[in-house]
Amino acid sequence: MRHEEFISILNECSSFCNYCADACLNEDDVKMMIPCIRYDRMCAEVCSSLSKLLSIDVPNQEVSALVIYCKTLCEKCAEECSSHKPQHCQNCAVACEKCVDACSKFLYVN
């Protein structure tokens, strides 16, 4: 399958974001976690959508705008998550940074 590694990274990022959003709901100060939860949810949806598009044989230029958006959103999500102490946030930040790198690689190669 084309883009197999990229798809795997996108799916992993989506999973970490979904887990983080859910785990944030169990934090003592949930109100403080609202921006994190929102970024997690948006990032998970975009990564999931991009993963699905890449699993079909669409021309790379057809998805490059979504890859740019995904990269930007993952950067913001990583920044937000890394500002929180819980391990689920730290893990999510790492997954998002890995996704940013994969998006950059896709855009550079294509």
XYZ file of all heavy atoms in Angstrom:
850
model
N 0.847 -1.183 0.000
C 0.000 0.000 0.000
C 0.890 1.244 0.000
O 1.880 1.299 0.732
C -0.899 -0.010 1.245
C -1.797 1.181 1.331
S -2.852 1.404 2.793
C -2.926 -0.138 3.603
N 0.514 2.210 -0.804
C 1.227 3.489 -0.814
C 1.032 4.194 0.522
O -0.019 4.093 1.125
C 0.665 4.392 -1.911
C 1.227 4.127 -3.275
C 0.644 5.043 -4.316
N 0.780 6.446 -3.933
C 0.108 7.435 -4.515
N -0.738 7.180 -5.473
N 0.283 8.673 -4.136
N 2.027 4.883 0.953
C 1.958 5.705 2.165
C 1.669 4.908 3.436
O 1.125 5.441 4.398
C 0.912 6.818 2.018
C 1.021 7.609 0.771
N 2.141 8.337 0.439
C 0.142 7.775 -0.244
C 1.944 8.939 -0.727
N 0.752 8.614 -1.168
N 2.024 3.637 3.451
C 1.698 2.774 4.582
C 2.242 3.318 5.910
O 1.524 3.339 6.911
C 2.235 1.365 4.331
C 1.759 0.351 5.335
C 2.123 -1.070 4.952
O 2.540 -1.313 3.799
O 1.997 -1.934 5.820
N 3.484 3.769 5.920
C 4.076 4.293 7.157
C 3.364 5.571 7.609
O 3.069 5.746 8.791
C 5.571 4.558 6.953
C 6.262 5.021 8.222
C 7.744 5.286 8.028
O 8.291 4.979 6.942
O 8.363 5.808 8.963
N 3.076 6.460 6.666
C 2.381 7.709 6.978
C 0.992 7.412 7.548
O 0.574 7.997 8.552
C 2.309 8.582 5.727
C 1.830 9.995 5.941
C 1.877 10.613 7.175
C 1.333 10.720 4.874
C 1.439 11.926 7.356
C 0.884 12.023 5.031
C 0.947 12.629 6.284
N 0.285 6.503 6.937
C -1.053 6.113 7.410
C -0.972 5.575 8.835
O -1.795 5.912 9.689
C -1.692 5.089 6.448
C -2.058 5.764 5.125
C -2.920 4.429 7.080
C -2.431 4.810 4.009
N 0.019 4.768 9.102
C 0.206 4.203 10.442
C 0.451 5.307 11.474
O -0.117 5.284 12.572
C 1.372 3.213 10.419
O 1.615 2.715 11.694
N 1.280 6.271 11.123
C 1.569 7.394 12.027
C 0.314 8.230 12.265
O 0.036 8.650 13.389
C 2.726 8.248 11.472
C 4.037 7.444 11.543
C 2.860 9.571 12.220
C 5.193 8.063 10.775
N -0.459 8.477 11.216
C -1.712 9.223 11.355
C -2.691 8.498 12.281
O -3.319 9.120 13.149
C -2.363 9.435 9.983
C -1.678 10.432 9.060
C -2.138 10.232 7.622
C -1.933 11.865 9.524
N -2.813 7.192 12.095
C -3.727 6.420 12.940
C -3.258 6.395 14.396
O -4.079 6.476 15.314
C -3.886 5.002 12.397
C -4.705 4.969 11.133
O -5.587 5.798 10.924
N -4.415 4.021 10.261
N -1.957 6.296 14.578
C -1.410 6.318 15.933
C -1.683 7.661 16.607
O -2.097 7.719 17.761
C 0.097 6.057 15.879
C 0.765 6.042 17.231
C 2.258 5.773 17.120
O 2.634 4.593 17.090
O 3.034 6.752 17.047
N -1.479 8.735 15.868
C -1.732 10.074 16.407
C -3.206 10.233 16.767
O -3.540 10.733 17.840
C -1.301 11.139 15.398
S -1.384 12.825 16.051
N -4.074 9.780 15.890
C -5.509 9.847 16.155
C -5.867 9.089 17.434
O -6.637 9.588 18.265
C -6.282 9.281 14.963
O -7.662 9.333 15.190
N -5.287 7.924 17.611
C -5.564 7.117 18.812
C -5.073 7.814 20.077
O -5.790 7.858 21.086
C -4.900 5.743 18.701
O -5.500 5.001 17.673
N -3.858 8.358 20.032
C -3.335 9.064 21.202
C -4.175 10.297 21.526
O -4.433 10.598 22.697
C -1.864 9.458 21.002
C -0.896 8.395 21.412
C -0.335 7.549 20.469
C -0.547 8.229 22.743
C 0.568 6.558 20.842
C 0.354 7.250 23.137
C 0.912 6.408 22.185
N -4.611 11.010 20.496
C -5.451 12.195 20.712
C -6.803 11.823 21.317
O -7.272 12.484 22.244
C -5.645 12.951 19.408
S -4.185 13.849 18.845
N -7.418 10.769 20.797
C -8.701 10.330 21.362
C -8.542 9.891 22.813
O -9.373 10.221 23.664
C -9.300 9.194 20.526
C -9.993 9.700 19.291
O -10.631 10.740 19.301
N -9.860 8.967 18.199
N -7.480 9.149 23.100
C -7.222 8.702 24.466
C -6.991 9.903 25.393
O -7.547 9.974 26.495
C -6.020 7.755 24.520
C -5.740 7.287 25.918
C -6.459 6.230 26.469
C -4.774 7.910 26.702
C -6.225 5.810 27.769
C -4.539 7.493 28.000
C -5.259 6.437 28.535
O -5.024 6.038 29.824
N -6.196 10.852 24.926
C -5.893 12.038 25.726
C -7.165 12.839 26.018
O -7.395 13.251 27.156
C -4.860 12.906 25.003
S -4.290 14.336 25.951
N -7.984 13.052 25.005
C -9.230 13.803 25.202
C -10.099 13.138 26.259
O -10.640 13.805 27.145
C -9.989 13.919 23.885
N -10.204 11.827 26.195
C -11.017 11.097 27.163
C -10.391 11.158 28.558
O -11.094 11.392 29.548
C -11.183 9.649 26.713
C -12.203 8.916 27.556
O -13.377 9.353 27.569
O -11.818 7.936 28.229
N -9.080 10.988 28.635
C -8.397 11.020 29.929
C -8.461 12.409 30.564
O -8.521 12.532 31.792
C -6.949 10.565 29.769
N -8.463 13.447 29.739
C -8.571 14.818 30.263
C -9.877 15.018 31.043
O -9.928 15.803 31.984
C -8.501 15.836 29.126
S -6.852 16.109 28.458
N -10.910 14.301 30.659
C -12.200 14.424 31.343
C -12.136 13.923 32.778
O -12.994 14.246 33.597
C -13.285 13.663 30.571
C -13.600 14.204 29.185
C -14.553 13.269 28.459
C -14.179 15.607 29.272
N -11.109 13.125 33.097
C -10.939 12.601 34.453
C -10.000 13.441 35.306
O -9.769 13.112 36.465
C -10.416 11.158 34.396
C -11.432 10.223 33.804
O -12.617 10.323 34.075
N -10.961 9.311 32.965
N -9.461 14.504 34.742
C -8.558 15.372 35.507
C -9.360 16.211 36.505
O -10.546 16.476 36.296
C -7.752 16.285 34.561
C -6.805 15.556 33.653
C -5.704 14.816 34.393
O -5.261 15.291 35.467
O -5.279 13.750 33.895
N -8.700 16.609 37.577
C -9.364 17.380 38.634
C -9.920 18.705 38.121
O -11.040 19.084 38.464
C -8.400 17.636 39.800
C -8.059 16.361 40.552
O -8.874 15.409 40.526
O -6.976 16.313 41.167
N -9.146 19.403 37.325
C -9.577 20.698 36.791
C -9.914 20.546 35.305
O -9.148 20.943 34.427
C -8.484 21.747 36.994
C -8.945 23.156 36.657
O -10.117 23.330 36.238
O -8.131 24.083 36.804
N -11.070 19.967 35.044
C -11.485 19.694 33.663
C -11.594 20.984 32.861
O -11.239 21.010 31.677
C -12.820 18.910 33.626
C -13.306 18.727 32.206
C -12.660 17.567 34.306
N -12.046 22.053 33.511
C -12.207 23.320 32.795
C -10.886 23.800 32.190
O -10.851 24.325 31.087
C -12.752 24.383 33.746
C -13.974 25.038 33.207
C -14.539 26.048 34.138
C -15.614 26.663 33.320
N -16.688 27.217 33.834
N -9.792 23.578 32.921
C -8.480 23.978 32.432
C -8.069 23.119 31.219
O -7.272 23.543 30.394
C -7.435 23.826 33.541
C -6.056 24.280 33.144
S -4.830 23.890 34.400
C -4.502 22.178 34.009
N -8.640 21.936 31.107
C -8.270 21.006 30.048
C -9.090 21.188 28.763
O -8.842 20.512 27.766
C -8.426 19.559 30.540
C -7.625 19.227 31.793
S -5.864 19.565 31.642
C -5.349 18.243 30.567
N -10.045 22.108 28.769
C -10.927 22.295 27.609
C -10.157 22.551 26.312
O -10.432 21.897 25.299
C -12.000 23.372 27.882
C -13.013 22.838 28.893
C -12.696 23.808 26.587
C -14.033 23.865 29.373
N -9.160 23.462 26.294
C -8.423 23.654 25.036
C -7.717 22.376 24.577
O -7.695 22.068 23.379
C -7.408 24.751 25.372
C -7.999 25.475 26.530
C -8.744 24.426 27.322
N -7.184 21.633 25.518
C -6.508 20.382 25.195
C -7.490 19.388 24.582
O -7.208 18.774 23.552
C -5.869 19.801 26.463
S -4.830 18.359 26.174
N -8.633 19.255 25.189
C -9.660 18.337 24.693
C -10.092 18.730 23.279
O -10.216 17.874 22.399
C -10.878 18.298 25.638
C -10.472 17.702 26.998
C -12.043 17.527 25.024
C -11.495 17.918 28.103
N -10.275 20.008 23.055
C -10.708 20.474 21.722
C -9.647 20.190 20.662
O -9.966 19.696 19.574
C -11.050 21.956 21.761
C -12.375 22.191 22.442
C -12.931 23.568 22.167
N -14.234 23.665 22.793
C -14.584 24.616 23.651
N -13.731 25.567 23.952
N -15.779 24.626 24.175
N -8.391 20.518 20.978
C -7.325 20.218 20.015
C -7.203 18.724 19.779
O -7.016 18.280 18.645
C -5.982 20.795 20.469
C -5.795 22.237 20.074
C -5.611 23.227 21.027
C -5.804 22.624 18.734
C -5.445 24.559 20.670
C -5.637 23.948 18.362
C -5.456 24.907 19.334
O -5.299 26.221 18.971
N -7.309 17.935 20.858
C -7.251 16.475 20.709
C -8.322 15.981 19.753
O -8.054 15.178 18.861
C -7.455 15.776 22.066
C -6.258 15.862 22.987
O -5.127 16.055 22.516
O -6.462 15.709 24.211
N -9.545 16.463 19.935
C -10.658 15.997 19.104
C -10.484 16.413 17.643
O -10.704 15.624 16.727
C -11.980 16.522 19.665
C -12.314 15.875 21.019
C -13.631 16.324 21.585
N -14.704 15.972 20.667
C -15.805 16.712 20.494
N -15.979 17.812 21.178
N -16.731 16.333 19.651
N -10.079 17.674 17.430
C -9.876 18.144 16.055
C -8.733 17.389 15.387
O -8.855 16.953 14.234
C -9.573 19.648 16.043
C -10.756 20.513 16.399
S -10.431 22.291 16.170
C -9.087 22.585 17.301
N -7.646 17.221 16.113
C -6.475 16.545 15.558
C -6.809 15.090 15.220
O -6.443 14.603 14.149
C -5.324 16.632 16.558
S -3.733 16.146 15.881
N -7.513 14.424 16.112
C -7.893 13.025 15.863
C -8.747 12.908 14.605
O -8.529 12.001 13.782
C -8.645 12.459 17.068
N -9.682 13.805 14.418
C -10.558 13.758 13.242
C -9.803 14.012 11.945
O -10.013 13.318 10.948
C -11.707 14.766 13.390
C -12.747 14.366 14.399
C -13.427 13.051 14.056
O -13.728 12.799 12.868
O -13.652 12.267 14.996
N -8.926 15.000 11.954
C -8.177 15.318 10.737
C -7.212 14.185 10.392
O -7.116 13.780 9.230
C -7.441 16.672 10.885
C -6.474 16.898 9.740
C -8.449 17.800 10.952
N -6.516 13.663 11.406
C -5.590 12.549 11.147
C -6.341 11.332 10.612
O -5.885 10.674 9.673
C -4.827 12.178 12.418
S -3.563 13.379 12.887
N -7.489 11.058 11.189
C -8.297 9.919 10.746
C -8.785 10.119 9.310
O -8.712 9.209 8.481
C -9.483 9.732 11.695
O -10.303 8.687 11.274
N -9.260 11.302 9.006
C -9.742 11.594 7.647
C -8.622 11.496 6.622
O -8.797 10.913 5.551
C -10.361 12.994 7.594
O -11.510 13.052 8.402
N -7.472 12.062 6.959
C -6.340 12.012 6.039
C -5.880 10.569 5.833
O -5.584 10.159 4.712
C -5.189 12.877 6.574
C -3.934 12.943 5.718
C -4.243 13.381 4.281
C -2.916 13.880 6.364
N -5.872 9.799 6.901
C -5.505 8.383 6.803
C -6.422 7.645 5.831
O -5.961 6.878 4.974
C -5.578 7.738 8.185
O -5.515 6.347 8.098
N -7.706 7.897 5.936
C -8.677 7.240 5.052
C -8.469 7.660 3.595
O -8.549 6.825 2.685
C -10.094 7.562 5.505
C -10.462 6.881 6.796
C -11.816 7.360 7.304
C -12.084 6.813 8.689
N -13.273 7.406 9.293
N -8.208 8.933 3.370
C -7.980 9.402 2.000
C -6.714 8.803 1.402
O -6.683 8.446 0.223
C -7.891 10.927 1.969
C -9.212 11.665 2.083
C -8.964 13.162 2.214
C -10.093 11.371 0.879
N -5.674 8.684 2.218
C -4.419 8.138 1.714
C -4.494 6.641 1.454
O -3.659 6.096 0.745
C -3.273 8.440 2.683
C -2.840 9.901 2.747
C -1.826 10.101 3.865
C -2.275 10.373 1.419
N -5.491 5.989 2.037
C -5.620 4.547 1.823
C -6.270 4.224 0.477
O -6.270 3.078 0.053
C -6.405 3.890 2.967
O -7.752 4.286 2.931
N -6.815 5.242 -0.180
C -7.283 5.062 -1.548
C -6.278 5.744 -2.470
O -5.485 6.575 -2.040
C -8.721 5.598 -1.758
C -8.837 7.060 -1.356
C -9.719 4.772 -0.980
C -10.210 7.648 -1.563
N -6.296 5.401 -3.695
C -5.269 5.876 -4.623
C -5.616 7.252 -5.183
O -5.952 7.392 -6.355
C -5.082 4.850 -5.749
C -3.823 5.111 -6.546
O -2.916 5.793 -6.024
O -3.746 4.626 -7.686
N -5.518 8.268 -4.331
C -5.749 9.640 -4.793
C -4.399 10.278 -5.097
O -3.395 9.967 -4.451
C -6.521 10.489 -3.747
C -7.913 9.966 -3.533
C -5.776 10.580 -2.439
N -4.352 11.154 -6.070
C -3.092 11.839 -6.367
C -2.631 12.665 -5.160
O -3.452 13.277 -4.462
C -3.445 12.752 -7.549
C -4.679 12.156 -8.148
C -5.412 11.520 -7.005
N -1.334 12.669 -4.924
C -0.790 13.381 -3.760
C -1.187 14.851 -3.727
O -1.466 15.398 -2.660
C 0.732 13.241 -3.725
C 1.164 11.829 -3.415
O 0.371 10.992 -2.990
N 2.433 11.538 -3.623
N -1.231 15.491 -4.899
C -1.584 16.909 -4.921
C -3.033 17.148 -4.488
O -3.380 18.234 -4.062
C -1.293 17.548 -6.286
C -2.121 17.014 -7.422
C -1.475 15.840 -8.150
O -0.613 15.160 -7.605
N -1.902 15.603 -9.381
N -3.864 16.125 -4.582
C -5.267 16.249 -4.169
C -5.414 16.319 -2.647
O -6.432 16.787 -2.146
C -6.095 15.076 -4.698
C -6.200 15.005 -6.199
C -7.032 16.125 -6.795
O -7.991 16.578 -6.163
O -6.693 16.550 -7.915
N -4.427 15.810 -1.916
C -4.524 15.796 -0.447
C -3.514 16.725 0.221
O -3.524 16.856 1.435
C -4.368 14.366 0.124
C -5.518 13.481 -0.298
C -3.036 13.765 -0.231
N -2.681 17.379 -0.568
C -1.613 18.183 0.048
C -2.143 19.318 0.927
O -1.554 19.617 1.963
C -0.635 18.701 -0.993
O -1.288 19.446 -1.977
N -3.262 19.930 0.564
C -3.831 20.987 1.416
C -4.275 20.419 2.770
O -4.088 21.066 3.811
C -5.006 21.668 0.716
N -4.819 19.211 2.751
C -5.225 18.574 4.007
C -4.001 18.180 4.834
O -4.023 18.277 6.059
C -6.112 17.354 3.746
C -6.726 16.685 4.975
C -7.525 17.677 5.829
C -7.612 15.512 4.568
N -2.935 17.778 4.177
C -1.694 17.444 4.891
C -1.142 18.697 5.583
O -0.710 18.642 6.733
C -0.642 16.822 3.949
C 0.678 16.592 4.670
C -1.154 15.502 3.369
N -1.185 19.822 4.891
C -0.723 21.090 5.482
C -1.581 21.435 6.701
O -1.066 21.813 7.754
C -0.756 22.234 4.444
C 0.304 21.984 3.366
C -0.556 23.596 5.109
C 0.169 22.867 2.138
N -2.887 21.300 6.579
C -3.788 21.584 7.700
C -3.529 20.615 8.855
O -3.479 21.022 10.015
C -5.251 21.503 7.248
C -6.212 21.805 8.366
C -6.287 23.083 8.919
C -7.042 20.815 8.876
C -7.159 23.362 9.960
C -7.919 21.083 9.919
C -7.976 22.358 10.451
O -8.833 22.629 11.485
N -3.342 19.348 8.531
C -3.063 18.329 9.545
C -1.775 18.676 10.300
O -1.720 18.610 11.532
C -2.954 16.956 8.882
S -2.692 15.593 10.029
N -0.759 19.063 9.569
C 0.530 19.434 10.166
C 0.347 20.608 11.124
O 0.835 20.583 12.259
C 1.531 19.779 9.067
C 2.894 20.207 9.557
C 3.813 20.507 8.356
C 5.179 20.958 8.796
N 5.234 22.356 9.158
N -0.362 21.623 10.688
C -0.601 22.807 11.517
C -1.374 22.444 12.786
O -1.024 22.877 13.889
C -1.376 23.875 10.722
O -0.606 24.228 9.569
C -1.658 25.108 11.549
N -2.412 21.651 12.633
C -3.225 21.250 13.775
C -2.437 20.377 14.748
O -2.536 20.537 15.962
C -4.477 20.524 13.285
C -5.658 20.454 14.229
C -6.015 21.806 14.819
C -6.851 19.871 13.506
N -1.635 19.462 14.217
C -0.803 18.613 15.080
C 0.223 19.450 15.846
O 0.524 19.164 17.005
C -0.108 17.528 14.266
S -1.205 16.182 13.765
N 0.759 20.475 15.204
C 1.698 21.374 15.890
C 1.013 22.056 17.065
O 1.564 22.127 18.170
C 2.247 22.428 14.928
C 3.221 21.900 13.919
C 3.547 22.885 12.803
O 2.773 23.842 12.559
O 4.582 22.668 12.149
N -0.196 22.553 16.835
C -0.945 23.232 17.894
C -1.333 22.267 19.013
O -1.273 22.616 20.192
C -2.177 23.922 17.311
C -1.835 25.101 16.441
C -3.065 25.735 15.838
C -2.667 26.917 14.970
N -3.816 27.584 14.367
N -1.739 21.071 18.638
C -2.124 20.071 19.628
C -0.904 19.659 20.470
O -0.997 19.543 21.689
C -2.742 18.848 18.936
S -3.540 17.690 20.068
N 0.230 19.468 19.820
C 1.459 19.113 20.538
C 1.853 20.210 21.520
O 2.236 19.933 22.659
C 2.590 18.857 19.550
N 1.723 21.449 21.079
C 2.066 22.578 21.939
C 1.142 22.621 23.161
O 1.594 22.794 24.293
C 1.963 23.880 21.146
C 2.343 25.116 21.934
C 2.225 26.396 21.113
O 2.291 26.333 19.868
O 2.060 27.456 21.742
N -0.149 22.459 22.930
C -1.117 22.479 24.033
C -0.885 21.311 24.984
O -0.814 21.483 26.198
C -2.544 22.441 23.491
C -3.621 22.414 24.555
C -3.658 23.653 25.443
O -3.331 24.757 24.982
O -4.030 23.504 26.632
N -0.759 20.110 24.440
C -0.598 18.928 25.289
C 0.706 18.967 26.081
O 0.737 18.563 27.246
C -0.653 17.647 24.448
S -2.333 17.215 23.936
N 1.763 19.462 25.466
C 3.051 19.494 26.162
C 3.046 20.486 27.325
O 3.914 20.417 28.191
C 4.194 19.807 25.193
O 4.076 21.111 24.685
N 2.059 21.367 27.374
C 1.978 22.336 28.479
C 1.291 21.750 29.718
O 1.201 22.419 30.744
C 1.245 23.603 28.020
O -0.142 23.370 27.864
N 0.818 20.511 29.616
C 0.140 19.853 30.745
C 1.005 18.709 31.273
O 1.705 18.048 30.513
C -1.230 19.314 30.312
C -2.151 20.383 29.831
N -2.755 21.292 30.665
C -2.560 20.706 28.576
C -3.495 22.121 29.958
N -3.391 21.791 28.674
N 0.904 18.474 32.572
C 1.743 17.467 33.228
C 1.306 16.011 33.048
O 2.151 15.130 33.029
C 1.850 17.762 34.723
C 2.700 18.968 35.020
C 2.883 19.170 36.502
C 3.728 20.403 36.732
N 3.954 20.658 38.145
N 0.013 15.717 32.936
C -0.379 14.302 32.877
C 0.345 13.541 31.754
O 0.597 14.090 30.673
C -1.886 14.354 32.612
C -2.321 15.669 33.178
C -1.167 16.602 32.882
N 0.651 12.287 32.041
C 1.385 11.466 31.080
C 0.629 11.300 29.766
O 1.236 11.272 28.699
C 1.713 10.097 31.692
C 2.693 9.291 30.872
C 4.044 9.984 30.700
O 4.635 10.453 31.665
N 4.535 10.054 29.471
N -0.705 11.214 29.834
C -1.463 11.062 28.582
C -1.280 12.275 27.681
O -1.214 12.140 26.464
C -2.951 10.774 28.846
C -3.660 11.820 29.643
N -4.203 12.944 29.077
C -3.912 11.905 30.969
C -4.780 13.686 30.022
N -4.615 13.075 31.180
N -1.141 13.462 28.270
C -0.893 14.670 27.477
C 0.516 14.642 26.882
O 0.704 14.980 25.705
C -1.065 15.921 28.330
S -2.777 16.298 28.771
N 1.481 14.232 27.676
C 2.864 14.146 27.191
C 2.972 13.132 26.056
O 3.641 13.383 25.051
C 3.813 13.795 28.340
C 3.892 14.867 29.422
C 4.358 16.209 28.887
O 5.366 16.296 28.184
N 3.610 17.262 29.198
N 2.314 11.987 26.208
C 2.331 10.955 25.159
C 1.672 11.463 23.883
O 2.130 11.181 22.778
C 1.628 9.681 25.631
C 2.376 8.983 26.745
O 3.553 9.225 26.987
N 1.683 8.105 27.454
N 0.597 12.197 24.044
C -0.117 12.753 22.890
C 0.770 13.774 22.175
O 0.826 13.782 20.937
C -1.429 13.395 23.348
S -2.454 13.974 21.987
N 1.462 14.599 22.930
C 2.349 15.598 22.334
C 3.421 14.916 21.479
O 3.713 15.355 20.359
C 2.990 16.459 23.415
N 3.979 13.820 21.981
C 5.007 13.082 21.233
C 4.416 12.512 19.938
O 5.024 12.603 18.866
C 5.625 11.964 22.107
C 6.488 11.031 21.272
C 6.434 12.569 23.245
N 3.215 11.928 20.026
C 2.562 11.369 18.837
C 2.274 12.464 17.814
O 2.450 12.257 16.603
C 1.280 10.641 19.228
N 1.850 13.627 18.289
C 1.568 14.744 17.378
C 2.844 15.244 16.714
O 2.845 15.555 15.517
C 0.883 15.883 18.132
S -0.843 15.559 18.541
N 3.933 15.315 17.470
C 5.203 15.761 16.885
C 5.692 14.771 15.828
O 6.213 15.177 14.785
C 6.244 15.942 17.989
C 5.953 17.162 18.847
C 6.744 17.211 20.143
O 7.560 16.290 20.402
O 6.535 18.169 20.901
N 5.480 13.494 16.082
C 5.837 12.471 15.096
C 4.998 12.654 13.829
O 5.496 12.506 12.707
C 5.602 11.089 15.714
C 6.069 9.933 14.876
C 5.877 8.629 15.644
C 6.255 7.430 14.804
N 6.029 6.164 15.523
N 3.748 12.999 13.999
C 2.857 13.223 12.861
C 3.265 14.481 12.090
O 3.215 14.500 10.860
C 1.411 13.317 13.349
S 0.195 13.093 12.040
N 3.680 15.514 12.805
C 4.170 16.738 12.150
C 5.352 16.391 11.247
O 5.416 16.826 10.090
C 4.578 17.809 13.196
C 5.365 18.938 12.550
C 3.350 18.356 13.904
N 6.265 15.584 11.767
C 7.430 15.172 10.975
C 7.007 14.386 9.732
O 7.547 14.591 8.642
C 8.388 14.332 11.826
C 9.089 15.147 12.895
O 9.109 16.394 12.797
O 9.623 14.532 13.841
N 6.042 13.483 9.901
C 5.565 12.678 8.771
C 4.873 13.557 7.724
O 5.047 13.348 6.519
C 4.622 11.582 9.265
N 4.108 14.538 8.178
C 3.453 15.469 7.249
C 4.506 16.264 6.479
O 4.395 16.437 5.257
C 2.535 16.430 8.002
S 1.012 15.700 8.635
N 5.512 16.734 7.181
C 6.588 17.500 6.543
C 7.300 16.651 5.497
O 7.591 17.133 4.395
C 7.596 17.977 7.595
O 6.995 18.889 8.469
N 7.567 15.417 5.847
C 8.238 14.506 4.915
C 7.381 14.291 3.662
O 7.876 14.341 2.537
C 8.507 13.178 5.603
C 9.252 12.182 4.761
C 9.503 10.902 5.535
C 10.134 9.843 4.651
N 10.310 8.570 5.356
N 6.089 14.077 3.850
C 5.159 13.889 2.721
C 5.188 15.128 1.816
O 5.255 15.001 0.593
C 3.739 13.645 3.248
C 2.712 13.499 2.151
C 2.407 12.253 1.626
C 2.051 14.611 1.653
C 1.452 12.114 0.626
C 1.093 14.484 0.643
C 0.801 13.228 0.131
N 5.107 16.294 2.418
C 5.062 17.532 1.631
C 6.386 17.787 0.924
O 6.394 18.317 -0.205
C 4.710 18.712 2.541
C 3.293 18.682 3.103
C 3.149 19.708 4.219
C 2.262 18.912 2.011
N 7.490 17.424 1.542
C 8.804 17.643 0.938
C 9.026 16.705 -0.247
O 9.519 17.113 -1.280
C 9.898 17.434 1.984
C 11.289 17.595 1.430
C 11.782 18.873 1.127
C 12.096 16.505 1.178
C 13.051 19.036 0.598
C 13.370 16.646 0.648
C 13.843 17.915 0.371
O 15.093 18.072 -0.166
N 8.622 15.462 -0.076
C 8.827 14.449 -1.119
C 7.876 14.671 -2.293
O 8.212 14.396 -3.441
C 8.652 13.019 -0.538
C 8.641 11.963 -1.625
C 9.749 12.734 0.472
N 6.684 15.145 -1.994
C 5.668 15.271 -3.045
C 5.584 16.690 -3.477
O 5.162 17.510 -3.699
C 4.328 14.754 -2.539
C 4.434 13.287 -2.205
O 4.698 12.487 -3.065
N 4.271 12.946 -0.949
